[in-house]
Amino acid sequence: MSIAVGIDLGTSNSCVAMVKDGETLVFADSEGRRTQPSVVAFGYGSSVVVGPRARRQLVHAPESTVSSVKRLIGRRYDSPEVERFKAQTAYGIAEGDTGDARVRIQGKVMSAPEISAHVLRHMRRIAEESLGEQVTQAVITVPAYFNDAQRQATRDAATIAGIECLRIINEPTAAALAYGFRQGKRQHIAVYDLGGGTFDVSILRIDDDLFEVIATSGDTFLGGDDFDYLVGDRFLAAFEKETGLSVSDNRTVRLKLRDAAERAKIALSNAEEVEVGVQALYRSPQGREYDFRTKVDRYLYASWVMPLIDRTLTVCNEALSAASMTTRTVDHVLLVGGMTRYPLVREAVARHFGKAPNTSVNPDEVVAIGAAIQASNLTATSVSASVLLDVTPQSLSVRTIGGYCEVLIPRNSAIPTEASRVFNTAWDDQTEVRVAVYQGGSRLAEENELLGQFVLDNLPPLPRGQIRVRITFEIDADGIVHVRAVDDKVGLARSIRIEARAGMSQEEIESARFDDLNF
Ligand code: AMP
């Protein structure tokens, strides 16, 4: 019998869970850790280490250790997000053949799904070691704001890891499943998810077993990492001021200070004031070693990071207005993500929504638990499963003349959904129609994400307007876009071709598949 788990494939940490005999179970590694750093470290030759050991390598060999690869997954190399990310990483970022952002380690170029596959395999092994049985299927979660390419790339990662991906679900939806499990009450909830790399907020309506996401909003570049980089930079400025040195372009120094900032943040969750110390932070060319030492209290920390927390609240308001709701009409606020352990975040959320957030499920595990519940629903033989209705986070549109976008499927439409549009030839003897499909909220095509170009070719030469092709765009339950063309007259249904889609080809995915899957 196949075993299906739920995997929260997080930017900084991942977690794996399952429903066993009606109870949810979060798997721990041999040392009792219930979450694992999503870090992949490459050693000499073919050795690859994932999890806590890889996290430790981050400081010593940052150029061969990949963290936060979720920030690259499904993104184009030339996107502004990748440009921003490059400034923060010590490992190389290269352009793939199809324009996707890839990782370069020790001269070897690897796709983001390949790196994520290492994390997925690691999580799968933790579950297998604990169960003593093979795990073959999983429900995997992604931020609600992930677009088609990012969802597809996550699926590719599962394939490479030899996992059958039953369903991709949104992280806030999973959290709501974990909370709403067997509650059966009608309520509106806001899921505030501040993790290591991304911020998402979703407004959900739960009615009996029906979970409906009515609006989502988010910022893919706002998370705990940003707090740590910001505070690490404050430490750097203090260090430079104290020593008169100029070390801001030293990556190792920055990483050590970023690490110190994270430790300080976690310690400040439980203490009013903490001491920060980094031994041998910097060694000068003359061989002199410099330590770093300072004190931070909650008040000072708040003065640094409050603008970041305020940004999350602005995003909350956007989601509320998209759902035609106010903070008062929200019944519960659920907290997800490691950063929501920080008291300042909890206080700010409580003040903003005018109610104390619900924290009864561990914010690090809640998403994996929800994914496990959905995995159990999808594989259940009895029909007690919760129905999950989700929405598309971004509008799907086609480019029209003048570089504008015509929306076909508006954001926040319930999925699965489809829409179709008829395209005509614009001039005589036109043998090809190109349709550029975009995802995003702008009226201007160039401000949105190009999903792909669909080309209908080999059209018979006829006067303009005589060929009418109906193209149907479908967004499936995973949030992945499919396109089909239908034309009764010329039978074009099979001649649709997809171009300009960044990511891995089917052959590439197959050849990247790990060959050690049967163990
Ligand atoms: P996640 O992506 O949900 O695993 O969240 C990871 C983020 O949560 C990282 O930025 C961590 O530094 C942060 N984090 C974990 N525990 C705490 C804590 N007790 N206080 C503040 N931040 C934390």
Side-chain angles (χ1 to χ4, degrees):
M1 212 189 76
S2 61
I3 292 180
V5 295
I7 301 177
D8 169 9
L9 180 62
T11 307
S12 8
N13 295 295
S14 295
C15 183
V16 56
M18 84 175 280
V19 176
K20 200 172 183 221
D21 305 324
E23 297 292 323
T24 53
L25 170 72
V26 175
F27 294 105
D29 66 10
S30 55
E31 284 160 53
R33 276 179 294 245
R34 293 157 73 87
T35 61
Q36 295 281 313
S38 310
V39 182
V40 182
F42 293 88
Y44 292 105
S46 59
S47 84
V48 183
V49 177
V50 185
R53 275 173 62 210
R55 179 79 169 76
R56 284 196 289 276
Q57 183 181 303
L58 197 57
V59 172
H60 310 295
E63 27 355 280
S64 53
T65 310
V66 185
S67 63
S68 301
V69 74
K70 196 170 168 182
R71 291 196 169 207
L72 290 181
I73 204 161
R75 288 197 188 275
R76 298 186 62 83
Y77 178 75
D78 56 12
S79 65
E81 289 84 358
V82 171
E83 199 53 47
R84 270 172 76 181
F85 187 52
K86 270 195 241 166
Q88 297 178 350
T89 54
Y91 55 86
I93 296 180
E95 183 170 5
D97 291 344
T98 54
D100 56 326
R102 299 198 170 190
V103 168
R104 182 188 281 121
I105 302 272
Q106 296 158 0
K108 191 175 169 214
V109 175
M110 287 167 283
S111 69
E114 279 175 84
I115 307 285
S116 290
H118 284 291
V119 179
L120 288 174
R121 174 173 59 174
H122 181 71
M123 301 316 290
R124 172 190 169 174
R125 282 185 174 166
I126 287 174
E128 288 179 333
E129 272 158 26
S130 174
L131 289 166
E133 282 177 272
Q134 206 174 348
V135 170
T136 50
Q137 298 175 312
V139 167
I140 301 171
T141 57
V142 296
Y145 220 62
F146 256 26
N147 65 19
D148 174 79
Q150 292 163 306
R151 284 164 199 263
Q152 186 60 57
T154 304
R155 263 191 168 279
D156 295 345
T159 307
I160 295 168
I163 297 170
E164 183 196 340
C165 178
L166 290 173
R167 186 68 56 89
I168 299 280
I169 65 170
N170 290 330
E171 290 159 7
T173 307
L177 267 174
Y179 269 100
F181 198 33
R182 295 190 188 129
Q183 279 186 5
K185 285 185 282 187
R186 183 192 167 96
Q187 50 203 335
H188 284 97
I189 59 169
V191 182
Y192 178 101
D193 179 353
L194 188 57
T198 53
F199 173 66
D200 292 290
V201 60
S202 296
I203 312 295
L204 296 99
R205 184 165 41 226
I206 302 183
D207 201 352
D208 253 337
D209 272 347
L210 191 73
F211 296 74
E212 191 182 357
V213 184
I214 49 179
T216 69
S217 203
D219 185 332
T220 45
F221 267 90
L222 182 56
D225 293 354
D226 300 279
F227 287 64
D228 304 336
Y229 283 118
L230 185 148
V231 173
D233 282 350
R234 299 287 172 157
F235 290 168
L236 181 77
F239 178 71
E240 288 188 329
K241 190 163 170 223
E242 196 186 296
T243 58
L245 294 165
S246 174
V247 289
S248 57
D249 48 11
N250 184 318
R251 280 192 189 273
T252 313
V253 166
R254 292 192 90 117
L255 266 177
K256 284 183 178 173
L257 289 176
R258 195 212 78 98
D259 249 31
E262 185 178 15
R263 282 196 305 276
K265 172 182 75 184
I266 292 171
L268 278 172
S269 289
N270 297 310
E272 286 297 324
E273 187 183 64
V274 293
E275 291 209 23
V276 179
V278 185
Q279 268 190 340
L281 172 66
Y282 176 69
R283 182 182 247 264
S284 71
Q286 294 76 30
R288 180 168 166 202
E289 273 190 357
Y290 293 84
D291 296 342
F292 176 64
R293 214 153 283 288
T294 191
K295 274 188 186 165
V296 190
D297 61 22
R298 279 191 182 172
Y299 185 77
L300 180 63
Y301 193 86
S303 72
W304 288 337
V305 303
M306 211 50 214
L308 293 177
I309 297 178
D310 284 340
R311 270 170 62 193
T312 69
L313 301 177
T314 306
V315 177
C316 287
N317 289 344
E318 280 167 23
L320 285 169
S321 81
S324 305
M325 286 182 61
T326 65
T327 51
R328 254 177 294 134
T329 52
V330 169
D331 299 308
H332 295 284
V333 183
L334 313 186
L335 296 184
V336 178
M339 270 308 295
T340 63
R341 290 179 185 280
Y342 199 76
L344 187 67
V345 173
R346 292 189 173 192
E347 284 155 25
V349 172
R351 219 176 311 118
H352 189 72
F353 283 90
K355 53 186 71 72
N358 191 333
T359 53
S360 60
V361 183
N362 185 332
D364 298 326
E365 298 171 359
V366 63
V367 170
I369 290 172
I373 292 168
Q374 185 65 355
S376 148
N377 288 342
L378 290 169
T379 50
T381 37
S382 63
V383 200
S384 64
S386 299
V387 185
L388 198 71
L389 271 187
D390 223 332
V391 297
T392 167
Q394 294 175 9
S395 300
L396 188 77
S397 38
V398 288
R399 188 170 57 208
T400 60
I401 295 160
Y404 290 101
C405 267
E406 182 190 320
V407 173
L408 290 169
I409 300 179
R411 74 189 283 251
N412 292 334
S413 303
I415 54 174
T417 184
E418 61 175 48
S420 53
R421 187 181 183 283
V422 171
F423 293 86
N424 297 308
T425 44
W427 58 86
D428 294 344
D429 301 332
Q430 187 178 341
T431 56
E432 196 176 273
V433 174
R434 285 176 173 266
V435 183
V437 183
Y438 289 82
Q439 229 171 6
S442 174
R443 279 193 64 221
L444 292 176
E446 61 177 26
E447 290 179 2
N448 292 326
E449 176 96 9
L450 175 68
L451 273 190
Q453 291 230 36
F454 302 93
V455 186
L456 283 154
D457 46 13
N458 299 323
L459 302 179
L462 287 171
R464 60 181 261 216
Q466 288 232 337
I467 293 188
R468 292 164 54 83
V469 185
R470 176 172 294 277
I471 299 193
T472 301
F473 301 82
E474 183 206 345
I475 303 183
D476 69 15
D478 293 334
I480 292 172
V481 180
H482 305 271
V483 181
R484 51 179 205 275
V486 187
D487 179 289
D488 304 338
K489 253 195 272 168
V490 264
L492 294 164
R494 266 165 293 125
S495 66
I496 199 150
R497 194 173 81 218
I498 304 176
E499 280 183 353
R501 186 181 199 126
M504 299 176 81
S505 67
Q506 221 36 55
E507 298 83 63
E508 236 188 321
I509 294 167
E510 278 309 314
S511 70
R513 273 177 79 126
F514 298 145
D515 46 19
D516 59 353
L517 293 168
N518 296 315
F519 48 89

